[in-house]
Structures are given as structure tokens and as C-alpha cells.
Amino acid sequence: MAITWVSAKVAEGTSTTMPTHAVGDLLVIVAMRFASATIPSLPSGWTSVATNGTTYGCRIGWRVATSAAMASGTWTNAEDLNIAVYRGAAVG
């Protein structure tokens, strides 16, 4: 199965409703904090890919959807959440 992009969303704040997704989809969030090196926290159930705390705070996290109504969780210290949903990605 090919990896396909399903949906995306950009939201201000520390949490948001997730864009369209289904069970088994790969959910990726880039949480940003501007003008501060404070790195946003990682909500329970998410896996951290990378962080940066040099001139701004950034964390990238992923998880596999276990339902079609997943929540973003709260990324404390984030000001902006960039979400992408992919189907057919083999993760584990």
C-alpha cells in the first residue's frame, strides 16, 4: 500500500480537534513556541521524534490512530500546532 496524505490542520493554542483520520492512520504534530526556547510538552500516548530549543521551542510527535475520533492532547507551552495525517505508513 502506498503512503497517502489524508488531511492537515494548523491551529493556535496547546490543543485542538484532529483533522479527518481513521483507525491506523499516522498522526504527526509539530508543536511550536515562538520567541522562546521553551520546548512544548509531549502528551501521553505520543512519541517524540525531535525537539529544538535554540531560538524557538519545537517538538515533533507522532502516534497511530486507534479511533476515528483521536484528540491532539495538550502540548503545554505550544502556541501553534501543525497536524498532518497519513494513510498506509508502516510504523511500529
Side-chain angles (χ1 to χ4, degrees), residues 3 7 10 14 19 26 29 37 40 47 53 58 60 64-65 71-72 77 83 88 90:
I3 298 172
S7 61
V10 176
T14 59
L26 173 63
I29 293 184
T47 299
C58 174
I60 302 170
V64 175
S72 70
N77 296 316
I83 306 165

Side-chain angles (χ1 to χ4, degrees), residues 46-64:
W46 290 83
T47 299
S48 186
V49 175
T51 61
N52 180 355
T54 309
T55 55
Y56 58 89
C58 174
R59 179 184 299 273
I60 302 170
W62 70 272
R63 76 180 300 171
V64 175

Side-chain angles (χ1 to χ4, degrees), residues 56-88:
Y56 58 89
C58 174
R59 179 184 299 273
I60 302 170
W62 70 272
R63 76 180 300 171
V64 175
T66 56
S67 80
M70 298 291 296
S72 70
T74 301
W75 300 71
T76 303
N77 296 316
E79 295 176 336
D80 188 70
L81 299 176
N82 298 274
I83 306 165
V85 179
Y86 300 94
R87 190 159 293 148

